[in-house]
Amino acid sequence: MSSTFTESEERIELRRQVAKLAKGYGREWFVERARAGEKTTELWMEIAKAGYLGVNVPEEYGGGGGGIGDVAAVCEELAAQGCPLLMMVVSPAICGTVIARYGTEAQKQEWLPGSCDGTATMAFAITEPDAGTNSHNSTTTARRDGDEWVLKGQKIYISGVDEATHVLVVARAEDARTGKLKPCLFVVPTDSAGFEFTAIPMEIVSPEKQFQVFIDDVRLPATALVGDEDGGLVQLFAGLNPERIMAASFSTGLARHALEKASAYAQERTVFKAPIGSHQAIAHPLAMAHIENELARLMTQKAAALVDAGDDMAAGEAANMAKYAAAEAAVHAVDAAVQTHGGNGITQEYGMAGLLVAARAGRIAPVSREMILNFVAMHSLGLPKSY
Ligand SMILES: Cc1cc2nc3c(=O)[nH]c(=O)nc-3n(C[C@H](O)[C@H](O)[C@H](O)COP(=O)(O)OP(=O)(O)OC[C@H]3O[C@@H](n4cnc5c(N)ncnc54)[C@H](O)[C@@H]3O)c2cc1C
């Protein structure tokens, strides 16, 4: 039995199974991999084999036939065990959704099964160095040359390019009728001639890296264009709600991980007469963060339910709010967890400080908190556009 406010037995069981699997790896393993410059391929392949990676992708293309709520649950449970996988936000959620919804039959057959079984991870590239948040200013272009497309431009902060076989790239093509540039989506193999990338040194403790990408006259067949040349914007938006829901789940999972560690520590550590958790100065910030996180989880589930019901408009507001709330909850939870640990909070042994940047990144990517506040001010409250 499930009600509007509870998850189905099936979803709860999915969470249990993913948590069990991820526990076998755990935070220490994840951090060790990150510090050694190694990858988390075993975990990725194990979740793929169990059917969790493509749980949202239609069954006929190798997926589980579930919804975004299911893949978000997978993402959250991994993060709650200290193994947040950023590429889950990208490959199954953004790329999987866009291709499953708008790809041609041949494109779905070509790209979806590999993204579900873990052999063909797809990165996603929209951000550009000069355009930043203002993607209307992006300059990566796609030019027709006979039957082929030629892509040229640069992208920045693109996650996981080194682990990906393909990148779903947003590039602007000239409209034959109006001459205006319109966004289109192209699947670019990472081994294409003219496609280069270099890692950006980041302070996040994660095996998953960010890259600057250089696209220098990369030639692609006509079939690299996803779906409809004139529907690029709609197709792109179809990937953005799932992206926000996944980012929210990444944050709520991280918050749960930090709160669990901090609560255990606060029960055990005694400095004066009683465990430090008996002091409200320690207990209340943890309790507040837990409340914030539960609220964020509820909004995330609402957003996922709206996406799965096909209500993209309502899902847009809910997904933005969920992502905002979850990032705030994670920042507060991790900060309180560090404080609870005292000096131990910033040692490598206890692993708390390593979560600070990861949680903080949730306020910046994939869409910043300021842009969400702009969206809510304009669309939910009807206030004037400020930019
Ligand atoms: C860990 C990580 C992973 C990422 N992975 C990917 C990826 O896989 N693919 C991809 O395409 N991108 C990725 N990104 C990029 C991410 O989406 C951008 O960093 C984000 O959209 C912000 O853009 P920016 O960094 O250029 O900041 P800027 O656009 O330069 O903004 C700087 C600051 O100004 C604020 N600001 C700008 N305009 C306004 C305004 N009108 N009103 C109020 N405030 C404003 C912003 O909110 C921000 O705080 C990733 C980023 C990070 C940190």
Side-chain angles (χ1 to χ4, degrees):
M1 271 283 285
S2 73
S3 73
T4 317
F5 294 104
T6 56
E7 290 185 309
S8 64
E9 262 311 310
E10 212 180 354
R11 175 83 55 78
I12 293 166
E13 186 53 26
L14 172 67
R15 287 186 181 276
R16 248 186 240 127
Q17 294 302 327
V18 176
K20 194 166 141 203
L21 188 157
K23 215 181 179 109
Y25 291 86
R27 184 68 188 167
E28 268 177 46
W29 172 83
F30 188 87
V31 169
E32 251 172 49
R33 285 290 154 110
R35 297 211 195 277
E38 288 167 8
K39 297 295 175 194
T40 46
T41 316
E42 303 100 290
L43 174 58
W44 188 259
M45 294 312 282
E46 200 178 333
I47 59 171
K49 203 165 153 218
Y52 305 143
L53 191 55
V55 68
N56 59 317
V57 171
E59 279 170 292
E60 59 266 44
Y61 306 111
I68 204 69
D70 296 308
V71 75
V74 174
C75 182
E76 186 188 343
E77 296 306 323
L78 289 167
Q81 296 303 324
C83 302
L85 293 179
L86 198 49
M87 290 313 283
M88 281 216 64
V89 177
V90 180
S91 192
I94 310 176
C95 305
T97 301
V98 171
I99 292 168
R101 269 217 208 169
Y102 296 105
T104 61
E105 186 54 33
Q107 289 174 332
K108 292 182 205 179
Q109 298 284 359
E110 187 178 351
W111 294 313
L112 292 178
S115 80
C116 296
D117 70 18
T119 56
T121 299
M122 201 177 278
F124 174 68
I126 182 167
T127 310
E128 297 190 4
D130 293 333
T133 293
N134 186 3
S135 49
H136 296 294
N137 275 353
S138 58
T139 54
T140 297
T141 50
R143 175 173 56 82
R144 271 190 190 284
D145 184 19
D147 281 346
E148 291 185 326
W149 288 98
V150 183
L151 262 61
K152 194 172 186 61
Q154 270 189 45
K155 300 284 176 183
I156 197 163
Y157 302 125
I158 310 308
S159 298
V161 183
D162 58 338
E163 298 180 77
T165 50
H166 299 81
V167 186
L168 183 64
V169 173
V170 181
R172 287 150 74 88
E174 194 177 322
D175 191 304
R177 279 166 297 142
T178 62
K180 285 196 178 143
L181 291 172
K182 57 188 178 186
C184 292
L185 294 160
F186 295 89
V187 172
V188 181
T190 48
D191 61 3
S192 303
F195 185 91
E196 305 277 339
F197 51 95
T198 56
I200 305 169
M202 305 286 278
E203 294 286 4
I204 308 175
V205 184
S206 171
E208 295 172 308
K209 309 276 174 230
Q210 278 67 50
F211 295 85
Q212 180 146 18
V213 173
F214 305 91
I215 303 168
D216 190 11
D217 287 336
V218 170
R219 300 191 83 85
L220 299 169
T223 51
L225 173 79
V226 175
D228 181 2
E229 190 180 328
D230 292 319
L233 205 55
V234 174
Q235 296 172 190
L236 178 60
F237 280 130
L240 298 187
N241 288 335
E243 177 185 55
R244 276 151 213 197
I245 290 165
M246 292 298 274
S249 304
F250 186 97
S251 293
T252 55
L254 269 188
R256 280 171 54 196
H257 176 73
L259 292 173
E260 198 189 317
K261 291 274 176 203
S263 303
Y265 188 85
Q267 299 244 32
E268 178 190 291
R269 172 81 171 157
T270 300
V271 189
F272 290 91
K273 289 186 209 88
I276 54 169
S278 67
H279 306 307
Q280 289 180 344
I282 290 295
H284 282 187
L286 297 176
M288 286 192 289
H290 180 60
I291 293 169
E292 276 186 60
N293 202 44
E294 287 302 304
L295 293 174
R297 294 182 72 218
L298 197 56
M299 187 52 103
T300 307
Q301 286 170 10
K302 174 178 173 178
L306 287 167
V307 167
D308 290 337
D311 190 347
D312 282 349
M313 280 306 283
E317 184 186 49
N320 271 306
M321 288 180 173
K323 199 247 124 181
Y324 175 91
E328 295 306 305
V331 168
H332 297 153
V334 171
D335 189 59
V338 170
Q339 195 66 16
T340 300
H341 282 77
N344 284 337
I346 44 180
T347 59
Q348 289 198 351
E349 185 188 346
Y350 283 82
M352 286 293 104
L355 298 170
L356 283 169
V357 184
R360 197 63 186 68
R363 272 190 179 154
I364 298 165
V367 55
S368 70
R369 69 199 290 269
E370 292 74 24
M371 292 314 286
I372 294 180
L373 294 173
N374 285 339
F375 176 93
V376 170
M378 266 174 70
H379 297 286
S380 309
L381 303 179
L383 294 171
K385 188 171 178 173
S386 61
Y387 56 98

